[in-house]
Amino acid sequence: MDDLSTTRAANDPVAGCECSCDRGWQDVQDEVNQALRSDDPLERNRQITAAYGRLAEADPRNIWVRLASYVSVQGGCAMQRTQAWDAQTVGRMVVNPSEAMDALQDANRTIFSSIYPVVRFAQKCGAAQLRRCVESGAIQADSSLLDAMDKLEQGDLRGASDLIAEHEQVRIVQPVYERHAGTFRDLMRAESLMPGDQTSIPIAKHCTRDNLVSIDGLDIRNPQDRVQYYQRLVNRMLQQEGTFRPGGGGATGTW
């Protein structure tokens, strides 16, 4: 166990052994493994979405996590739609449902397992302890995520969120797109052949095609365009949720 100072206040997030590098990180990994334990991609998606939701409630300052709790729902909806295409639909003629499910669940799982542990540890134990654990070699985390957690604790909520989103789309999602390039290309073709906007998503925690946040003018294959779309989604989420007021006397921040 790490040597934690006994001079810390009792309410300091790293004042107990539950936030030592080894114990704290293992507890977070146990949460991740619990969410990923199902072999059913749709059930796994529900567990991932629930984990995002719990973390968003625990730390509503984290805009990225709040948005993830919506986007993960819509990822599950996309999985359901591709599996519902029957042999007579345009989608089924263009896209292999099994390959579509594999690509979509890969994105859902990879984003969660790559980012959730870091932001959850920071929420539980503090950004300073996260950085100490990374610098000691006990935890591995990208420096951009450490900087994002520092910004979050300093009150730059939008800056923190933007850093996570940039890391997510460039470092995490882009390799997923490249692994499933043919499948995502087929999905885009199928969506283009169907009536209405099949690519944009709403800010909703249920499956709907109403009130979509338009992706018009952006190429979903381009990571920087996806970052721009993320900004559109955040703006819509903040509009729908209203003025941010963290509960429980939490720190205020700037959008």
Side-chain angles (χ1 to χ4, degrees), residues 231-247:
Q231 299 291 351
R232 294 182 187 180
L233 291 169
V234 167
N235 290 339
R236 175 69 65 81
M237 180 186 74
L238 296 178
Q239 290 171 0
Q240 288 184 193
E241 291 186 346
T243 303
F244 173 69
R245 290 186 176 88

Side-chain angles (χ1 to χ4, degrees), residues 3-147:
D3 181 16
L4 300 179
S5 171
T6 58
T7 63
R8 291 193 178 99
N11 62 353
D12 189 301
V14 296
C17 65
E18 68 276 6
C19 275
S20 67
C21 297
D22 291 342
R23 169 72 180 279
W25 189 248
Q26 185 57 57
D27 287 348
V28 170
Q29 287 299 323
D30 287 345
E31 290 181 22
V32 171
N33 293 336
Q34 181 74 4
L36 299 180
R37 73 188 187 283
S38 177
D39 292 330
D40 177 1
L42 292 175
E43 175 58 27
R44 189 164 58 237
N45 169 259
R46 285 189 283 270
Q47 295 300 321
I48 288 172
T49 301
Y52 283 138
R54 289 190 295 270
L55 184 51
E57 288 185 7
D59 190 2
R61 301 171 307 161
N62 194 320
I63 300 172
W64 184 90
V65 169
R66 283 161 56 193
L67 183 62
S69 71
Y70 291 99
V71 174
S72 185
V73 170
Q74 297 307 314
C77 296
M79 294 180 203
Q80 293 177 53
R81 283 198 304 274
T82 61
Q83 301 312 294
W85 290 339
D86 62 38
Q88 303 306 313
T89 64
V90 172
R92 184 62 176 269
M93 289 186 284
V94 175
V95 179
N96 180 305
S98 177
E99 292 177 357
M101 177 64 85
D102 188 39
L104 293 169
Q105 66 86 21
D106 189 6
N108 188 225
R109 179 175 55 189
T110 302
I111 294 167
F112 176 74
S113 61
S114 300
I115 297 178
Y116 177 89
V118 178
V119 297
R120 172 67 171 113
F121 186 93
Q123 178 272 323
K124 177 182 177 182
C125 299
Q129 177 68 347
L130 171 65
R131 188 174 288 277
R132 280 192 290 268
C133 292
V134 171
E135 290 175 350
S136 74
I139 293 176
Q140 292 186 349
D142 191 271
S143 61
S144 62
L145 295 181
L146 301 185
D147 292 342

Side-chain angles (χ1 to χ4, degrees), residues 161-174:
S161 174
D162 290 350
L163 273 180
I164 301 172
E166 180 82 17
H167 173 79
E168 172 195 17
Q169 295 303 329
V170 175
R171 301 292 297 276
I172 306 302
V173 174
Q174 191 59 28

